[in-house]
Amino acid sequence: MGTEIFRPQKIFVERSIRDLPFTRKLLDRWPSVPVQIVSQPQQAVDALRGEPDPIAAGKRSLLIARQRGPFIKRCPGTKNYICCGYRIINAATNCDLDCTYCILQGYLTIPLLTVYANLDDLMAQLDSFLSSGQDEFYRLGTGELTDSLSLDPSFGHARLLVPYFADKSNAILELKTKTTNVEDLMDLEHAGRTVVSWSLNAEPVVRKEEHGAPPVKERLQAARRCYRAGYRIGFHFDPLIDYPGWEEDYRRVVEAIFQHVDPQAIAWISLGALRYPPQLEEIIRRRHPQSEIVLGELFPGKDGKPRYFRPIRTRMFRKLNTWIKEHDPDVFVYLCMESDLVWRQALGWSPGNMARLSRLLDERVKP
Ligand code: SF4
């Protein structure tokens, strides 16, 4: 199946960046797609108002804009849970895939696929950020507000960022994806400073809930290509979904990981159970009436987000961790946004706080 290459139905271009090279490159790529010049992103948002499903329409429309805020931000994490101290490179937002559980459906103020054309500002901000924190170590990724590689054949961010990080001693880049778009990574100079990671799930969940994303087997074949090209590899089981028969299906995915990638190349595997902002439930029911994820027994956590009851999450994490460690006890497994208690009950230890988890992850990838 592979990953379908994106082609927008309409392009909006912010007037102030219409002559930048990146904008020209994208417009040349799709010469027959209608283009509308706008003075403000809000005009593009207004154009979607009459659409029956503005979120779906936003995924088919591309806004090429100027990033006026910082390109680099802290991952917001979630209140009262241990997060991993990640930094987000905000070069694009939204995604052409359509996962039922995607929080971006209710999160983005501009619900269009948006890419920022002022790449010189991005690189200048990266230079200044990394040189001002010479004594620190940073893990940065492009895959928090979009999929890092889904749109990369068009945007080319990996071609820009992977060689940039190759000679940085105080940072690592993580490209997080569900896709198989790794062709462009094959000839890049990466010097081991990029982790390419895949979001994985049980195959029935992929089929029902991850619309437009390729099957797990294809993701793992792409991971194998990156591993053979010398990249460090990461995996994220997130969101784990509880359903009858989940054990068998998730166990199969764990087995498949180790058939495709040498454990030595695995930087980390994270586990996160289904959770979402309360307002997303209505959007999921409306946009994805076939989805079964909101039918589970979910209760508001300490951050107000519905989650599975603690014993269910603990049991899922414990099992996944056990299956992974059966293959290689040295693979680093961590939990995404969980409490100290769940860490201890599920994995038998806890980093205790964000600073320690962050340090442990850094150690996995420091030169
Ligand atoms: S791949 Fe990620 S960003 Fe894209 S729709 Fe799915 S959850 Fe959202």
Side-chain angles (χ1 to χ4, degrees):
M1 169 183 162
T3 310
E4 251 181 62
I5 299 301
F6 171 73
R7 184 178 187 278
Q9 289 180 356
K10 176 149 189 186
I11 304 175
F12 296 88
V13 178
E14 224 189 305
R15 182 167 287 113
S16 71
I17 49 82
R18 68 176 166 185
D19 294 322
L20 291 185
F22 182 78
T23 310
R24 300 254 55 101
K25 182 186 89 171
L26 285 186
L27 295 181
D28 288 348
R29 186 177 173 88
W30 299 299
S32 59
V33 174
V35 176
Q36 182 179 338
I37 305 290
V38 294
S39 44
Q40 289 293 330
Q42 188 56 41
Q43 277 176 263
V45 179
D46 292 344
L48 299 184
R49 276 203 208 290
E51 293 285 343
D53 182 351
I55 296 171
K59 286 174 177 287
R60 298 190 298 265
S61 312
L62 176 67
L63 170 67
I64 310 174
R66 176 184 296 283
Q67 173 62 280
R68 293 187 170 77
F71 273 101
I72 304 156
K73 290 189 178 151
R74 267 183 189 280
C75 179
T78 191
K79 255 194 291 177
N80 302 315
Y81 293 99
I82 299 174
C83 56
C84 71
Y86 204 65
R87 310 279 168 149
I88 301 168
I89 302 176
N90 189 4
T93 55
N94 210 339
C95 179
D96 57 329
L97 308 182
D98 199 8
C99 304
T100 58
Y101 52 74
C102 180
I103 60 157
L104 299 180
Q105 296 171 100
Y107 180 81
L108 300 172
T109 44
I110 300 176
L112 282 89
L113 272 169
T114 303
V115 64
Y116 300 107
N118 48 327
L119 294 177
D120 288 352
D121 293 338
L122 164 63
M123 300 320 281
Q125 287 182 29
L126 273 173
D127 278 347
S128 134
F129 177 75
L130 295 179
S131 57
S132 66
Q134 283 294 348
D135 302 332
E136 304 281 329
F137 190 83
Y138 301 105
R139 282 167 286 108
L140 299 104
T142 53
E144 293 305 301
L145 298 177
T146 184
D147 181 289
S148 295
L149 296 179
S150 182
L151 295 158
D152 208 58
S154 307
F155 297 167
H157 288 141
R159 204 159 268 290
L160 183 70
L161 293 173
V162 170
Y164 173 84
F165 276 84
D167 66 355
K168 302 292 174 289
S169 56
N170 66 336
I172 189 135
L173 172 69
E174 184 178 21
L175 300 173
K176 228 185 256 187
T177 189
K178 287 189 175 91
T179 74
T180 55
N181 294 338
V182 296
E183 191 56 45
D184 277 1
L185 301 181
M186 291 301 113
D187 64 344
L188 296 182
E189 178 60 47
H190 59 79
R193 312 306 309 139
T194 294
V195 176
V196 192
S197 65
W198 273 266
S199 191
L200 296 178
N201 224 310
E203 203 54 70
V205 177
V206 170
R207 283 197 299 273
K208 274 192 218 137
E209 315 288 348
E210 297 184 346
H211 305 154
V216 168
K217 189 163 180 241
E218 293 183 17
R219 298 181 206 182
L220 290 174
Q221 285 163 352
R224 176 158 54 196
R225 286 189 73 194
C226 287
Y227 151 62
R228 287 187 174 155
Y231 287 94
R232 300 293 300 280
I233 306 296
F235 295 107
H236 302 281
F237 282 93
D238 201 348
L240 290 167
I241 307 286
D242 176 36
Y243 62 93
W246 67 267
E247 277 114 321
E248 189 58 27
D249 294 337
Y250 280 102
R251 188 169 193 154
R252 245 186 243 134
V253 181
V254 172
E255 303 283 325
I257 287 177
F258 294 95
Q259 285 160 10
H260 285 81
V261 174
D262 183 334
Q264 295 283 321
I266 299 176
W268 44 62
I269 299 181
S270 78
L271 310 176
L274 179 67
R275 63 207 174 277
Y276 49 79
Q279 61 274 22
L280 194 67
E281 183 168 332
E282 188 273 320
I283 298 176
I284 297 174
R285 287 186 190 279
R286 177 165 41 84
R287 294 200 62 236
H288 308 288
Q290 312 302 330
S291 169
E292 291 174 9
I293 57 170
V294 289
L295 305 178
E297 286 194 71
L298 297 147
F299 301 90
K302 286 188 262 178
D303 53 1
K305 294 181 186 170
R307 298 167 170 249
Y308 294 128
F309 206 35
R310 178 155 46 84
I312 298 177
R313 302 195 323 265
T314 306
R315 189 156 158 265
M316 295 187 91
F317 297 146
R318 192 185 301 126
K319 293 239 170 175
L320 267 286
N321 184 51
T322 305
W323 299 329
I324 292 165
K325 300 286 182 175
E326 277 169 10
H327 284 274
D328 191 308
D330 293 331
V331 171
F332 188 77
V333 178
Y334 70 98
L335 303 184
C336 188
M337 310 291 178
E338 280 297 347
S339 65
D340 188 62
L341 179 64
V342 173
W343 271 85
R344 287 183 196 287
Q345 288 180 339
L347 306 191
W349 72 284
S350 166
N353 54 45
M354 180 181 105
R356 174 131 187 268
L357 176 57
S358 188
R359 248 194 335 271
L360 290 169
L361 288 165
D362 295 348
E363 278 159 21
R364 301 288 305 167
V365 286
K366 271 189 174 172

